[in-house]
Amino acid sequence: MNPPEAHTSAPQPNPIRCAIYTRTAAGAPGNAVSQGAQWVACARYLREQLGWALVAGRYDDFGGIGADLNRPALQRLLADVDTAGIDIVIVDDVFRLSGRALDLAAIGERFRATGVTLVAVAQGLSTADRGGQAWNAWLSAFARCGGAPQGVGAR
């Protein structure tokens, strides 16, 4: 009788590294979406995705202005994107990244250049699918043409 063969499982693929970014607006009215609510919505979405894992650390900016990209957590997030430490950035609303079309286009291009997908839960947007890619292309074209008046869409 031969001994039973050892069962070896197939190597598990590396999880998809996800970061959640939240921001509250400076002087936001009482009905603004709290960072806690943003985090919960993004974390719930992440848990529903097979093979996705949250990276260590949080990217939370408190009281930042949507038209200002010099926010500490956003700058850390962009640095981690540049060093290939993140595969997907999840936000509750795309305007948490910036309220300016030019800035959103620049961030979108930076993500695209590094292979990072942007997911905006509230908009049902993912730059990994055709609709999200079309949105990103439209935003980039819009920004090249001068974009929206400053502050449009800012929160």
Side-chain angles (χ1 to χ4, degrees), residues 5-6 16 36 41 47 66 81 123 132 144 151 153:
E5 291 184 31
I16 298 169
R47 282 191 306 271
V81 162
Q123 285 94 2
R144 281 192 300 273

Side-chain angles (χ1 to χ4, degrees), residues 10-16 51:
Q12 295 297 318
N14 291 334
I16 298 169

Side-chain angles (χ1 to χ4, degrees), residues 34-102:
S34 73
Q35 279 182 297
Q38 292 174 52
W39 181 265
V40 167
C42 293
R44 183 180 311 124
Y45 182 89
L46 185 148
R47 282 191 306 271
E48 294 169 354
Q49 311 309 311
L50 189 60
W52 290 20
L54 186 62
V55 296
R58 290 187 59 152
Y59 302 92
D60 302 314
D61 278 316
F62 300 95
I65 297 170
D68 180 9
L69 295 183
N70 292 319
R71 291 175 256 137
L74 179 62
Q75 290 304 310
R76 280 189 303 105
L77 174 70
L78 294 173
D80 289 348
V81 162
D82 290 344
T83 60
I86 296 171
D87 302 308
I88 296 175
V89 173
I90 305 169
V91 294
D92 174 57
D93 184 306
V94 72
F95 292 112
R96 297 295 171 189
L97 290 171
S98 179
R100 296 185 59 218
L102 290 170

